[in-house]
Amino acid sequence: MKAAISLFDGARPPSRLRYLMKHRLGTPLDAPYTFGDMAAAAAGVLEALAPMWERSMRCEPLSFIGWGNPGSADILSGKPQSGLDYILAARSRFGVHPSISHWHQRALLGLGRFKEAAALAPETIEEPDFYGWSAEVMPLAAQGKIDEARAALARWKQSYGDAGDLPGAAVLGDREEANRLAAQLDAEPAGPFLVLITAHECSCGSPFDLDATPNFKARLKEAGIEWNPLSVIDFPAKDW
């Protein structure tokens, strides 16, 4: 959390943000479980997290977090096979966990292994906050089965709420709706931070047009960060 807040803390001189991201994350005092991967991905310095997670694997060998985070970082960096290797190692140690299963699914989708990805849906679909929305939706959308994906998202929302609204709209190709939801999020208290952590939930590049989020856009400009998140998974309906 500290890393992500530092990225969008207007009290910090923008010229120092990249330095802080590269060097602050390498100190022993940083907690291993943060939103740092999302902030670092936005800043283009995701590799700065590697020493922190190496320490986590040594110091907390019974925690899945340190083993899973290098995998999610590689996936966000456009290296799904390397990410999959980490995730499978975490899975072999800790078994089924919604976070591990979610990133396992994302890695498989990035590799075009749709059938295997779809088979993981039961392991994450009941998670209500971060992962559940994508369990059935992303494998279907990645195969261009948009009507089925839309129906799957509607079913999930009926049971669990609207956590997947913005990334769901993106993978379904609903650009206008994605921009509307992003603008709504951007206008909330701590909007730029909320936009940041939501933007990586589809692994599909930016799920919205940056002009739809003026507060977030302004903070990026202050920080000297070019907004160009990688698209790791190809969703045929998303054409931006």
Side-chain angles (χ1 to χ4, degrees), residues 40-192:
V45 291
L46 198 54
E47 72 281 355
L49 292 172
M52 184 175 70
W53 286 326
E54 288 173 5
R55 287 195 305 272
S56 177
M57 285 188 282
R58 293 196 305 270
C59 297
E60 297 185 87
L62 299 182
S63 169
F64 76 88
I65 293 168
W67 290 84
N69 276 350
S72 63
D74 276 356
I75 294 165
L76 288 171
S77 299
K79 298 179 287 188
Q81 183 58 61
S82 176
L84 179 61
D85 292 342
Y86 276 113
I87 295 299
L88 290 176
R91 191 179 179 100
S92 70
R93 285 174 171 267
F94 305 108
V96 175
H97 183 281
S99 177
I100 293 174
S101 297
H102 171 72
W103 288 103
H104 188 181
Q105 185 182 67
R106 280 213 218 183
L108 291 171
L109 289 172
L111 294 167
R113 294 161 60 177
F114 303 131
K115 186 175 180 179
E116 294 170 77
L120 293 173
E123 298 180 6
T124 60
I125 197 166
E126 294 182 358
E127 197 284 321
D129 297 317
F130 296 104
Y131 313 121
W133 74 268
S134 64
E136 293 181 342
V137 175
M138 286 177 70
L140 289 167
Q143 297 175 79
K145 300 178 179 180
I146 303 305
D147 290 342
E148 293 177 55
R150 198 180 302 279
L153 182 59
R155 286 195 303 272
W156 190 87
K157 287 171 62 177
Q158 187 172 21
S159 297
Y160 300 103
D162 60 0
D165 270 359
L166 174 53
V171 304
L172 294 173
D174 295 337
R175 189 171 190 169
E176 184 176 342
E177 177 67 359
N179 283 336
R180 184 188 72 81
L181 292 165
Q184 187 177 72
L185 201 60
D186 186 58
E188 293 184 7

Side-chain angles (χ1 to χ4, degrees), residues 6-25:
S6 295
L7 178 62
F8 289 97
D9 181 358
R12 297 187 180 275
S15 62
R16 285 183 49 78
L17 283 172
R18 286 186 179 275
Y19 175 86
L20 287 169
M21 291 296 294
K22 287 182 177 179
H23 297 277
R24 187 80 171 274
L25 292 172

